[in-house]
Amino acid sequence: MKSECRIVRRAVLLGEVGSAEAQDHLRDCEACRAFERAERVVARLVRDRAAREPAPHALRERLVVALEAERRRSRHWWTRWPLLSKGAAAALLLAAISGGIYWLQGVAKAERMVEAVAADHLELASRGAALFTAPSSQEMGDWVRSKLKLAVKVPVLPQATLIGARQCRLRGRPAALIVYRLSGPSAGATTASLFVFRSSGERWSQMDTLKGSSSKRICHGHDRGLSVLIWEDRTVTYALVTELPEAQLEEFAKYL
Amino acid sequence: MGKLDSRGKIVSFPDSAGFSGRRGPELLTFEEALAANLDSLYATARRLARDPAQAEDLVQEVALKAYRSFKDLRSHERFRAWLFTILHNTARNLVRDASRRVPSIDVELDTLLDDPLLAEPLNESPEQQLLQACLPEQLEEGLNALPQAQRTVLWLVDVQEFTLAEVAEMLDIPLGTVASRLHRAHRALRAYLDQGAQQGPGPKGESR
């Protein structure tokens, strides 16, 4: 095959026979003209006579229904704005992680606070301290409220004498300590220390709940062989530390 | 629910939500563009699928895929080629019909041009004789005897009138391969029809 024929036939197959050179060659070369015509004849035959089935009516109906269903589905915001939905999912995940961290931090804070009140109770028992005294729990309450600027209620405990109160700090936080002397048959001459302070995100929910509680939810923990009762009232947290066994604590709980 | 005209053609849909804000009034809605191409889409699906039911499934799948990404189509002038590209990509996964697939071996265009047979003119019947003698059944048999790859290119170029470049992009193959397949399909079909005209219908023709 001559090189000119090769070039022109290549152009024929690529549908690029518009150039003057190609047209000149086709006019002069019978073999290439036959080649080009053979391509064109078969193409025309196929174009004119190949069967084309029209889309069935049932298919058109199916498409109308399917596209309408797809349109309804795509109206949901999370499919129309996938980036936003991904952002929302990420935000939820972040919030869940943050919430989990915050929750765990709260649990840890509660555990540390139980340790702190138990330690302070033992320290007070060992070295003693000057206390503010008042003739009644009402006046004692006034004094504590004035010092802490908190709505503290000083409870009246069964078979217990209110000895006095003083300001202190618990893990760097302003607090008040109210001291009772327990005089019941099983109490001996022990004391109970009631710490009051502003609630600050402690999660007491991991602690046991004391049975026999009144309307308050009273949590019960242990540290250094002491019982610690914890309850919250609005923004105030109360932590009562005693050496009493659990059975007596349930009786206590009725008065809190 | 959309409306159908007396011939069953999709003529309207309830709205074109999701598209109207991004297109001028001169542009078609997705449904209008699909309806204008539905017959050729289905006819092509019939060539790719095992039976009419599979072709309908194929077209529905293509329509839904196209609907979901229509908003991303930058040029609506490319809608038809884009739709057929989705059709062929979907067909690759959906249509599993080995019986329709005659193996095809691609020959590079330059290799093809070096074939000494190309220098020989076909022992062809005159054009008018071929056109008059060719029965629709023979043509269908001849088309079905072609390897799938050649038949697909032949269908897209000769019947659907896509350019070679469009088909190359649609099937993700080189332009030279499209041209080579088309030529070999023409040659095989011509040989089949010439033989059929002389001997009656039968499964003959080039196999590669």
Side-chain angles (χ1 to χ4, degrees):
Chain A
M1 193 191 300
K2 289 191 291 187
S3 65
E4 294 85 3
C5 293
R6 194 177 190 281
I7 292 168
V8 169
R9 291 186 189 194
R10 192 176 202 283
V12 167
L13 295 183
L14 290 170
E16 299 167 350
V17 287
S19 69
E21 293 85 355
Q23 290 297 319
D24 287 347
H25 181 86
L26 284 172
R27 191 171 54 245
D28 297 338
C29 179
E30 172 58 31
C32 285
R33 206 160 53 242
F35 179 85
E36 190 271 337
R37 187 172 59 245
E39 286 291 303
R40 191 158 29 84
V41 166
V42 181
R44 185 175 153 197
L45 180 73
V46 173
R47 186 184 67 234
D48 292 345
R49 301 210 180 160
R52 299 166 178 78
E53 291 182 47
H57 183 78
L59 174 60
R60 294 175 188 279
E61 290 186 331
R62 266 178 71 177
L63 290 177
V64 171
V65 173
L67 289 171
E68 178 58 22
E70 182 65 20
R71 192 191 330 278
R72 279 199 301 272
R73 193 188 68 80
S74 66
R75 280 192 189 123
H76 295 301
W77 68 269
W78 56 83
T79 56
R80 291 184 68 176
W81 296 297
L83 278 178
L84 185 60
S85 67
K86 283 175 187 165
L92 282 173
L93 183 62
L94 189 62
I97 292 171
S98 303
I101 291 170
Y102 182 71
W103 187 84
L104 289 172
Q105 284 176 337
V107 171
K109 279 173 83 172
E111 289 172 352
R112 286 195 295 268
M113 192 56 84
V114 169
E115 291 173 11
V117 294
D120 272 26
H121 172 82
L122 290 176
E123 186 181 348
L124 178 71
S126 65
R127 70 178 171 85
L131 297 173
F132 168 80
T133 56
S136 68
S137 61
Q138 181 64 43
E139 289 171 81
M140 184 70 80
D142 290 342
W143 182 83
V144 173
R145 283 189 287 274
S146 69
K147 297 296 180 187
L148 293 184
K149 312 294 185 208
L150 287 174
V152 175
K153 296 172 188 169
V154 177
V156 178
L157 299 178
Q159 299 181 321
T161 307
L162 189 59
I163 297 175
R166 70 177 177 91
Q167 286 183 275
C168 62
R169 297 188 81 81
L170 283 173
R171 298 189 56 77
R173 200 182 314 170
L177 165 63
I178 302 164
V179 182
Y180 298 85
R181 175 166 290 113
L182 303 180
S183 55
S186 58
T190 62
T191 58
S193 299
L194 176 65
F195 295 88
V196 291
F197 48 91
R198 185 184 294 277
S199 302
S200 181
E202 292 85 0
R203 297 282 161 186
W204 310 109
S205 53
Q206 285 302 95
M207 297 169 65
D208 295 334
T209 303
L210 193 67
K211 293 174 185 173
S213 305
S214 59
S215 57
K216 293 188 186 69
R217 181 173 186 273
I218 299 178
C219 299
H220 180 209
H222 300 274
D223 192 87
R224 295 168 170 82
L226 300 168
S227 288
V228 182
L229 303 186
I230 307 273
W231 68 96
E232 289 181 318
D233 189 0
R234 297 182 187 177
T235 58
V236 182
T237 298
Y238 298 79
L240 182 68
V241 187
T242 75
E243 297 172 17
L244 292 177
E246 190 167 339
Q248 264 103 36
L249 291 176
E250 290 178 8
E251 185 63 23
F252 253 59
K254 293 174 186 172
Y255 295 87
L256 301 178
Chain B
M1 179 68 70
K3 294 178 182 171
L4 306 175
D5 70 7
S6 57
R7 290 175 300 169
K9 207 159 191 170
I10 300 171
V11 292
S12 71
F13 281 76
D15 64 283
S16 55
F19 308 124
S20 56
R22 298 183 61 171
R23 303 183 340 216
E26 74 282 7
L27 296 174
L28 296 174
T29 63
F30 173 80
E31 292 81 4
E32 288 166 343
L34 177 66
N37 290 283
L38 193 57
D39 280 336
S40 58
L41 189 71
Y42 177 74
T44 305
R46 278 293 285 122
R47 298 279 167 180
L48 296 169
R50 182 180 58 240
D51 51 40
Q54 193 179 45
E56 289 190 26
D57 289 345
L58 183 55
V59 168
Q60 178 169 329
E61 181 80 19
V62 170
L64 290 174
K65 283 183 180 174
Y67 177 85
R68 288 174 198 138
S69 47
F70 183 59
K71 60 183 181 302
D72 300 323
L73 182 64
R74 289 168 185 264
S75 167
H76 287 198
E77 290 173 1
R78 288 196 63 252
F79 179 83
R80 191 160 182 270
W82 173 74
L83 191 65
F84 275 70
T85 302
I86 296 174
L87 172 68
H88 281 92
N89 289 339
T90 307
R92 269 186 215 134
N93 301 323
L94 196 68
V95 178
R96 305 279 185 212
D97 186 358
S99 66
R100 283 181 67 90
R101 294 191 173 175
V102 180
S104 173
I105 302 166
D106 280 322
V107 178
E108 290 303 315
L109 189 59
D110 288 322
T111 309
L112 190 69
L113 287 163
D114 290 334
D115 188 338
L117 277 176
L118 274 185
E120 302 292 325
L122 278 171
N123 183 22
E124 61 192 33
S125 51
E127 183 175 329
Q128 285 302 320
Q129 187 182 328
L130 177 67
L131 292 176
Q132 286 170 3
C134 177
L135 298 171
E137 300 79 26
Q138 283 179 311
L139 180 60
E140 285 305 309
E141 285 172 6
L143 289 172
N144 285 331
L146 293 174
Q148 172 88 44
Q150 291 180 21
R151 184 170 59 235
T152 298
V153 169
L154 180 88
W155 180 264
L156 292 172
V157 176
D158 290 347
V159 180
Q160 300 300 334
E161 300 183 88
F162 287 108
T163 65
L164 300 188
E166 285 175 324
V167 174
E169 189 179 347
M170 201 180 290
L171 303 180
D172 196 22
I173 55 177
L175 184 67
T177 304
V178 176
S180 165
R181 286 183 187 175
L182 181 63
H183 172 66
R184 290 162 67 219
H186 284 158
R187 220 175 150 84
L189 189 60
R190 181 68 181 262
Y192 184 94
L193 295 174
D194 282 342
Q195 277 193 320
Q198 292 164 13
Q199 299 173 10
K204 303 175 192 72
E206 265 184 43
S207 63
R208 64 175 198 118

